Amino acid sequence: SINAVSTLHTDASGNDVDGLTYSNSDTCVYFTLSDHTLCKIDPEGSSKITVLAGQSGTAGYDDGTGTSARFFMPSCVVCSDDGETLYVSDGYSYMRIRKVVRNTGVVTAVAGNHESNGYADGTGAAVLFGGTRLSLAVSQSNTDLLYISDYGNHLVRTVVVSTGVVRTIAGTAGMAGTTDGTGTLASLTYPHGIAMSASSALYVAMFDINAPRIRQIVISSAVVSTVAGWDYGTYSVPPIDGTGTSAKFSYMYGLAGGSSGTL
């Protein structure tokens, strides 16, 4: 249970915090801001915000080191299990996945094209993502693999970080739906938050006003099933607690996996 909530920092600039993650290497919190920066804050230190990469108020796409690198509305940020590498999705309408070395601020592009959106599996800049948002999760069994919820394309995809190779593992591009099934036979609707569980299953929150639900993807088989929430017309304000499909959600955003198997 959460016994206390404390404020690490307040900011009157009007910038929005989007992604948030924690590094177990330096025990700092890393987060993305709408002013095109990736920042960090030390909860045990002065609580002063430090810009790790990007330039406040200056949007762009350049790789580089620290403030010489450029982001365009970075959103999701996740940290590798060893705490040494950050992965960021940015680009707003033209989404990319970027890699940031935590202790140097070196930023490099992994996959995606900053001049185009759409759908294409492939390698590096030949990959196309749907516009608006990508959420990321780090594989627990392969340090070189990320899972991606491609909101605009209604897909879950993977990227091999070292090669930039992206492939689709669940859903069909451009086809929203609630059908359970295997791989591309399953349908997803605006997949948003994505998380790995302690058992290495993948869970995805559907940002679907008509059928908000949590879906499970078995990594070994790509079988997609519904674990909580149910079909069209079950949007609920306020949300209703319950078991499995008797539970009702409103808007579904982020997910995080707990060590005990909870979400």
Side-chain angles (χ1 to χ4, degrees):
S1 62
I2 297 174
N3 297 317
V5 176
S6 59
T7 300
L8 293 179
H9 184 83
T10 57
D11 185 356
S13 65
N15 294 317
D16 295 326
V17 175
D18 198 329
L20 185 75
T21 192
Y22 172 81
S23 169
N24 57 21
S25 179
D26 63 356
T27 66
C28 286
V29 174
Y30 291 82
F31 56 96
T32 57
L33 283 176
S34 59
D35 69 348
H36 317 298
T37 57
L38 172 65
C39 302
K40 76 172 183 177
I41 190 169
D42 182 357
E44 304 301 327
S46 65
S47 294
K48 180 180 178 181
I49 288 179
T50 302
V51 175
L52 177 64
Q55 180 70 49
S56 178
T58 304
Y61 309 99
D62 295 340
D63 289 342
T65 301
T67 56
S68 69
R70 294 289 181 268
F71 293 105
F72 194 142
M73 299 288 286
S75 49
C76 181
V77 56
V78 294
C79 191
S80 61
D81 285 344
D82 64 6
E84 298 299 330
T85 307
L86 301 165
Y87 301 102
V88 180
S89 62
D90 88 308
Y92 193 58
S93 294
Y94 305 112
M95 300 301 299
R96 290 192 299 169
I97 297 170
R98 317 279 292 279
K99 173 183 175 181
V100 184
V101 180
R102 180 196 58 77
N103 63 351
T104 64
V106 172
V107 180
T108 54
V110 175
N113 192 308
H114 71 264
E115 296 181 340
S116 186
N117 60 25
Y119 170 70
D121 284 344
T123 302
V127 174
L128 296 181
F129 294 110
T132 309
R133 186 177 181 89
L134 305 175
S135 294
L136 308 173
V138 178
S139 170
Q140 294 183 349
S141 60
N142 182 348
T143 58
D144 198 30
L145 189 69
L146 299 178
Y147 293 96
I148 310 159
S149 63
D150 187 343
Y151 180 94
N153 280 323
H154 310 296
L155 301 174
V156 171
R157 307 167 78 176
T158 62
V159 59
V160 179
V161 175
S162 60
T163 62
V165 172
V166 173
R167 70 183 185 93
T168 299
I169 63 169
T172 299
M175 294 183 62
T178 60
T179 303
D180 290 339
T182 300
T184 57
L185 297 179
S187 57
L188 312 173
T189 300
Y190 299 118
H192 205 290
I194 186 168
M196 295 289 294
S197 72
S199 61
S200 295
L202 194 65
Y203 292 89
V204 188
M206 302 292 107
F207 187 79
D208 181 353
I209 191 171
N210 293 307
R213 58 177 64 192
I214 297 174
R215 314 286 289 279
Q216 180 195 68
I217 303 175
V218 179
I219 300 302
S220 59
S221 62
V223 171
V224 179
S225 59
T226 298
V227 297
W230 198 230
D231 217 334
Y232 288 97
T234 61
Y235 170 80
S236 178
V237 177
I240 300 172
D241 290 343
T243 301
T245 55
S246 68
K248 303 293 186 291
F249 299 100
S250 52
Y251 295 105
M252 297 285 290
Y253 287 95
L255 283 180
S259 59
S260 63
T262 58
L263 295 170

